[in-house]
Amino acid sequence: MSLSDHLRYLRALRGGVHTQTIRDAIGLEAVTPINHAETQYRPVRDPELVAKLAAYYERPLTEFQWHNARPRKYLTFYLARALKTKEVVSLTLRSGEQLAGKVDWWDLGSVGLWDENGRFLVVQRHAVVDWPGADSEWEDI
Amino acid sequence: MAQNLWELRQTKRMTVKELAGKSGVKADSIYAYENGEPIKMADLEKLAKALYVNKNEIKVQSDPVPKKKPAPPPKAATAPAAPKPAAPAAPQAKQPPAAKPTQTTSASEGQLDYLRVLFAKLNEDETAVTERLGKPLEELTFPEARQLLNTYHKAYTARQAQRPPDTRRKRGHLPEVVDDFEIEYLQTQQEAGTVITFTLFDKTEFTGRIIGFSPYNITIQQADESEVTIQKLALAYYTAAKAAA
């Protein structure tokens, strides 16, 4: 799961607290960096912001750094490659559940998979926390 | 009935650039398609989606765009052009766009636009080209313009192929922005009345038939006819239920 998705998830857990409230709490002048951090497809390049957000959500910085190393673009790379090579993908969800299957399609928000039992699954991309080679096998696309 | 690509685009009040942005099909390709090149199936789907029409409403091979203004009369000094009808014909009825180009049909606006795009890409000076041709672009006939387009298009393609790999324009694993597979899937399942099981992040499950959805949520009707709206942010995955209800 990307840091962007993780941030949205944590904010939802806090009852959807407004980003302006977070801005004031962490001492930023503008709300834009927080909005960008929640929506961007590439890693958040500002370590200070990552640290401030981790402190705000009372989470270990290493957890945020771990998610930041798995941005949405890298998952896209993994899914696109699997679609091309027909390899079986293995996706670990936030719930801890592990799903595997062949990619039938993928788009901005989800991926369609055929699992080994012939079930067709539509997995939400924001639910995927990890996948093989998530932080090492990718190409900036 | 199928319409020319350029007709549909103009009906939707879109420029080629806008259509390219919306569909993910290159502007160069759209210019080429509007000038009679057969549309590739993959592009046809994207263009249909961007224009909000069915694929079969677009002609796979468009007729040329009719010129808005008549071509200027040939200059006295220029070499004799192709023989023209001896007597001026009676005022011609406006030619339908579907008319096949003949030897004497003037170059279409689309052809000229695309030629100028290629000139810009190849750093070709239009004045130098017209000097070589011996007449302005507006005086080209349809076949002459097509010939010229072929020549410049080949030159452009050859130049692109010679560029070192690291400087070639990379197309990412897109089009994320134009593919809506999930929406299509949900639409199909809703129409088929498939019973689907939705699993949330906390492993809670809901089973029912889809009765509505948006990019952010899905509403289902459960077996007891109660309705539940599932926020996608809380959703992990879903699949057709094992046994149909």
Side-chain angles (χ1 to χ4, degrees), chain B residues 180-191 198 210-220 229-230 232 238:
Chain B
D180 290 319
F181 289 107
E182 188 181 17
I183 288 173
E184 283 173 22
Y185 180 79
L186 288 168
Q187 186 75 47
T188 311
Q189 301 313 315
Q190 183 180 355
E191 284 166 9
F198 295 83
I210 299 165
I211 55 171
F213 61 88
S214 80
Y216 308 105
N217 52 43
I218 301 166
T219 304
I220 60 167
T229 297
I230 300 164
K232 278 206 184 167
Y238 52 89

Side-chain angles (χ1 to χ4, degrees), chain B residues 229-240:
Chain B
T229 297
I230 300 164
Q231 298 300 321
K232 278 206 184 167
L233 197 58
L235 182 61
Y237 64 94
Y238 52 89
T239 184

Side-chain angles (χ1 to χ4, degrees), chain B residues 4-7 9-10 34-35 62-71 93-101 105-113 142:
Chain B
N4 294 308
L5 178 60
W6 54 265
E7 274 181 307
R9 177 176 61 74
Q10 286 171 1
E34 290 195 353
N35 282 295
S62 285
D63 298 316
V65 185
K67 271 182 77 76
K68 281 179 188 164
K69 285 183 269 182
K94 208 175 179 183
Q95 264 202 333
K100 285 267 177 193
T105 308
S106 306
S108 70
E109 258 184 25
Q111 282 180 315
L112 300 184
D113 284 350
F142 185 89

Side-chain angles (χ1 to χ4, degrees), chain A residues 1-5 39-43 45 67-81 106-108 125 131 133-134 137-141, chain B residues 170-177:
Chain A
M1 178 182 279
S2 69
L3 181 59
S4 306
D5 287 318
T39 51
Q40 68 190 56
Y41 282 73
R42 292 190 162 83
R45 307 283 187 198
H67 285 293
N68 205 23
R70 288 157 177 78
R72 294 174 187 163
K73 277 283 178 186
Y74 298 180
L75 180 58
T76 295
F77 170 73
Y78 179 61
L79 297 174
R81 188 184 61 185
W106 59 269
D107 64 15
L108 191 64
R125 287 176 56 153
W131 59 94
E137 291 175 24
W138 56 271
E139 203 175 88
D140 197 5
I141 51 176
Chain B
K170 270 190 186 174
R171 188 160 193 271
H173 292 281
L174 292 172
E176 286 161 316
V177 283

